[in-house]
Amino acid sequence: SVAMCGHLARNLEGPNKVEKLVALYAAKDEKELDEVGRDPRHDKHYFGLFLSVKIALDRLDEDATLSNADRTAARMLLATISVLDRALTPVSLLEQHDLATLTADLNEDQDRGELDNAHTTTTHSEHQTAFALFTDSKQLREVQAVCVRYGLLQPAAPTLLGIDMVGVMHQLVQRCLRISLLARPDVGPFVVAGVGRILRNRFTYSQQDDPSVWVRYTSLVPCAQSWCDVQTSEAVRNVTSETPHVESVVAVMHRLTGLYLYVRGDAHRALSLATAAKSHSQAQLPTDHPYIGTSMASIAATYWALGRHDE
């Protein structure tokens, strides 16, 4: 929170920056921040940090040096990292996908009612521009720099495999952004639908794949794992619980299960994922949905690998 205050102060114009920063904090509704800033599971409180994140987002929205497209793109990038791995999200995941297919999928979701037209204030063309940054390396770099300038993202060094990462985000900043941005009707539905489509189309591991592609799939494991983990968070559940979204998430869980079992040889981790996929399927899909059977078959395969043949 203190580090973000430094970034905010440096981005304020004119003299008396400290006084201006204090005024920004004093103007916020303490009751709302007190309710949202508490983690009920651990009874920890992030009042100051949540406040700093909220002010940073407000300042980004008001930044006259940015175009509307860049502001929209920055919000989308931050919201996207809030549901993926906070340090190991490859740039390639966000800039190498078929934009035409994604746009068609988003239109399909909107036609089905998965995206709420009545409460969406940003135009669909603006969202296409925002998602287009994922196929535009130059704009992606510029938006990354904006997020770093506001202290919401830190630069990331390439990994040992030479893979460029989007950046590093503090885990509590990530949580605050997930709460703040996914609740926005002009951000949350598009990010959740878009990330789901991208992962479903990019993380396509199957047992029949040639080992030469395992490295590519392995680089996406942290993002796929994080995406599955946040599905239980209230911030994501409030955006959508439609069947196509649940099917997309469970499909990624099944692929993760197979990768851990057949590529990494980690049957214990595979069993945990297969069990989670079964629970997610049974809780949110029809009782006769084939994904429930697929999850049970995955559990059986992990039992066999663990030598638990009776089960």
Side-chain angles (χ1 to χ4, degrees):
S1 183
V2 171
M4 288 191 63
C5 285
H7 286 281
L8 288 168
R10 283 190 290 274
N11 281 284
L12 292 173
E13 298 178 355
N16 304 318
K17 292 186 176 184
V18 173
E19 289 81 356
K20 291 178 180 178
L21 189 61
V22 171
L24 286 173
Y25 277 74
K28 290 299 177 183
D29 181 1
E30 293 183 6
K31 184 176 185 297
E32 175 197 357
L33 294 166
D34 183 64
E35 292 173 350
V36 180
R38 182 178 296 280
D39 181 347
R41 289 182 301 172
H42 307 294
D43 198 32
K44 293 180 179 178
H45 208 278
Y46 310 119
F47 178 88
L49 182 60
F50 188 81
L51 184 53
S52 297
V53 169
K54 202 166 181 67
I55 289 174
L57 290 174
D58 290 345
R59 295 290 300 163
L60 191 153
D61 285 341
E62 299 163 2
D63 193 333
T65 67
L66 300 175
S67 66
N68 287 336
D70 283 345
R71 279 195 291 269
T72 301
R75 289 193 296 268
M76 290 294 182
L77 178 60
L78 292 169
T80 298
I81 301 303
S82 80
V83 296
L84 295 177
D85 191 275
R86 64 184 186 86
L88 297 175
T89 296
V91 171
S92 60
L93 178 66
L94 305 187
E95 67 178 3
Q96 295 178 9
H97 69 272
D98 184 352
L99 179 63
T101 299
L102 176 58
T103 302
D105 285 340
L106 290 174
N107 281 322
E108 181 184 335
D109 287 342
Q110 207 157 32
D111 292 340
R112 274 200 311 264
E114 191 171 332
L115 304 183
D116 191 347
N117 291 295
H119 297 92
T120 301
T121 57
T122 302
T123 66
H124 195 64
S125 62
E126 285 179 313
H127 282 293
Q128 291 181 30
T129 301
F131 278 113
L133 86 89
F134 300 155
T135 56
D136 182 343
S137 298
K138 181 175 181 294
Q139 189 183 32
L140 175 56
R141 299 299 183 188
E142 291 172 352
V143 171
Q144 282 177 276
V146 170
C147 296
V148 169
R149 178 153 57 90
Y150 279 93
L152 297 167
L153 194 66
Q154 299 300 319
T159 65
L160 292 175
L161 295 174
I163 300 173
D164 286 334
M165 299 300 170
V166 174
V168 178
M169 183 179 288
H170 191 283
Q171 60 183 351
L172 298 182
V173 171
Q174 184 187 43
R175 175 181 177 271
C176 293
L177 285 170
R178 187 161 58 242
I179 293 171
S180 297
L181 289 175
L182 295 191
R184 295 179 59 152
D186 61 336
V187 176
F190 285 87
V191 166
V192 170
V195 170
R197 302 291 185 191
I198 291 169
L199 280 175
R200 187 189 67 187
N201 293 329
R202 296 291 308 283
F203 187 71
T204 56
Y205 167 79
S206 75
Q207 194 177 349
Q208 288 72 42
D209 283 331
D210 188 276
S212 63
V213 301
W214 287 356
V215 171
R216 177 165 61 86
Y217 289 134
T218 298
S219 71
L220 297 178
V221 165
C223 285
Q225 183 66 67
S226 297
W227 173 241
C228 294
D229 290 343
V230 299
Q231 298 307 311
T232 59
S233 71
E234 185 177 353
V236 174
R237 289 202 311 270
N238 287 342
V239 175
T240 181
S241 59
E242 296 289 331
T243 296
H245 169 73
V246 177
E247 289 176 336
S248 177
V249 172
V250 175
V252 173
M253 288 181 172
H254 288 159
R255 293 165 189 170
L256 271 174
T257 300
L259 188 142
Y260 273 102
L261 182 59
Y262 301 114
V263 175
R264 295 190 169 182
D266 188 347
H268 290 284
R269 186 75 183 102
L271 177 58
S272 174
L273 283 162
T275 303
K278 176 174 174 286
S279 299
H280 204 62
S281 301
Q282 288 180 324
Q284 301 192 58
L285 294 175
T287 55
D288 60 347
H289 197 284
Y291 275 12
I292 297 176
T294 303
S295 300
M296 296 175 71
S298 295
I299 291 174
T302 58
Y303 280 162
W304 181 268
L306 290 168
R308 295 162 60 173
H309 300 150
D310 290 342
E311 295 175 80

